[in-house]
Amino acid sequence: MKALYLKYKDFIMEVIHFGMVGVINTLMGWVIMAVLYNLIHMSYWVSSGISYFIGSVFSYHANAKLTFKVEERDKWLPWRFAANIIVCYLIAFTVAKPFTARALDALGLSADGRVSVALLDNIAMFLGMCFFIVMNFFGQKFFVFRKRGIKAAEE
């Protein structure tokens, strides 16, 4: 077991650090999204989009420094990060809404109108966040903050 841990120690630590940054980011994002959607009455896309933009700025700096320990930043790093966030966001939140509607239908909760549009959207936003977290980790690890060249081969 110890040999397995030592083999994957760096990956395990990245997951733990990503999780810690993610908890802070997710709580902050959920509060922003919930306030914009439920109190200010912005749409599903606008409230989640603004929340993810703000969270992405925090996530970029925290994950570069704490999670993936990027020392050398190339000029394309912010662009790769932005592309990753946009792709993960669009996929996660596009999938979340119909997935939630179908799941509620399968449970017999939305066929007769027992679930409001607001509740459906709030559940979809929560699931969208969950989908986003998983895709975003792998996008950041293998696309945004990937280790390249001689330095990566030495590790």
Side-chain angles (χ1 to χ4, degrees), residues 93-142:
F93 282 83
T94 299
V95 168
K97 201 163 183 178
F99 178 85
T100 302
R102 286 202 170 110
L104 291 174
D105 279 341
L107 294 171
L109 297 175
S110 62
D112 61 359
R114 285 192 277 175
V115 174
S116 69
V117 171
L119 180 58
L120 177 103
D121 282 352
N122 277 280
I123 294 169
M125 286 188 289
F126 177 78
L127 285 176
M129 291 174 79
C130 295
F131 296 156
F132 177 88
I133 289 166
V134 173
M135 291 187 302
N136 185 37
F137 172 79
F138 288 104
Q140 286 191 39
K141 176 160 181 62
F142 296 114

